[in-house]
Amino acid sequence: GTYFVTYNTSGNANWSSVSNSSIFLIVNKGAPDLQIYVNNTTANATATYPNILELRGNSSTTVTPPTFSLFINDTVTNVVNSSNSSNNPATINERLGNGTYRIVYNTSGNTNWSSGSNSSIFLLVNKGTPNVQAFIDDTSVNKTISYPTTVTIRGNSTTTTTPPTFNLSVVNASNVS
C-alpha cells in the first residue's frame, strides 16, 4: 500500500507550528520463499512401492503469512501435520503407487504477500517386488520322492500392502523349456 508520511508540530509558547514536506512510503507485497522436500531432500527423488514417503512444504514467511497448499499432480493434499492454519509447514506421509508425481508447494498470497510457487519436484515411484516362496511339505528346498508318495504344495507371500494376485502351479519339468 501507499502511506502518506508527515512530521509536524502545533508549536508552543516559544515555537511556532510547522510541518515538513510530506513524503510517501510505498510498500510492495513480499515474495514468500517456498521449499518442497521429499524425504528431507529438495531434489527429484526415486522411491519403491510400498514405501511411505514424507512430503513437506515449508516457508520462512511467518509475519502475517498467507495460506499455503501442498499439491501432488495438481491435486491439493490433506495436510495432516501443520502447526497452524496457514499450512506452514505442511507435511504428509503418503504411500504412492507406481508412477511419476509432480510435487508443488504454493500460495495464492494475501494482503501482504504475493502469490508464489516452488519449482516442481518430481517423484518416481517404481514397482515393488513382492516376496514369494513355494513350499513342498512346509520346506522351501528341492525334494525327491517315490511314487505314490503324496506331498503338500503351497505358496506363500508376506506381501500385505495391496498385494497382486498370486498363482500356484505344478508343471511336469520335462514340459518346461
Side-chain angles (χ1 to χ4, degrees), residues 3-175:
Y3 299 88
F4 186 64
V5 179
T6 60
Y7 187 62
N8 62 41
T9 180
S10 57
N12 62 19
N14 296 314
W15 295 97
S16 61
S17 66
V18 69
S19 174
N20 74 327
S21 59
S22 299
I23 57 176
F24 291 93
L25 172 64
I26 299 171
V27 179
N28 293 321
K29 287 185 175 191
D33 68 307
L34 299 155
Q35 194 61 259
I36 188 78
Y37 301 86
V38 175
N39 289 345
N40 291 318
T41 182
T42 58
N44 293 335
T46 301
T48 302
Y49 182 83
N51 290 328
I52 294 175
L53 306 166
E54 180 191 74
L55 308 176
R56 180 171 42 93
N58 192 47
S59 174
S60 63
T61 306
T62 57
V63 178
T64 65
T67 299
F68 297 90
S69 298
L70 185 60
F71 290 84
I72 300 173
N73 286 351
D74 299 324
T75 301
V76 69
T77 60
N78 293 319
V79 174
V80 295
N81 181 15
S82 180
S83 60
N84 55 53
S85 62
S86 70
N87 284 337
N88 184 41
T91 302
I92 64 168
N93 295 304
E94 191 77 21
R95 177 179 288 126
L96 298 171
N98 173 250
T100 302
Y101 299 88
R102 181 176 170 254
I103 314 299
V104 174
Y105 188 56
N106 74 12
T107 180
S108 57
N110 65 13
T111 303
N112 296 315
W113 296 96
S114 61
S115 62
S117 178
N118 69 297
S119 299
S120 300
I121 285 184
F122 288 91
L123 171 61
L124 172 64
V125 178
N126 292 317
K127 288 183 176 185
T129 303
N131 171 299
V132 294
Q133 191 73 49
F135 294 90
I136 302 171
D137 289 335
D138 292 326
T139 63
S140 60
V141 294
N142 295 334
K143 185 170 190 169
T144 302
I145 61 170
S146 296
Y147 182 82
T149 304
T150 61
V151 293
T152 301
I153 298 174
R154 68 178 179 86
N156 188 47
S157 176
T158 57
T159 303
T160 58
T161 304
T162 317
T165 300
F166 294 98
N167 300 300
L168 178 64
S169 61
V170 179
V171 178
N172 186 327
S174 63
N175 295 334

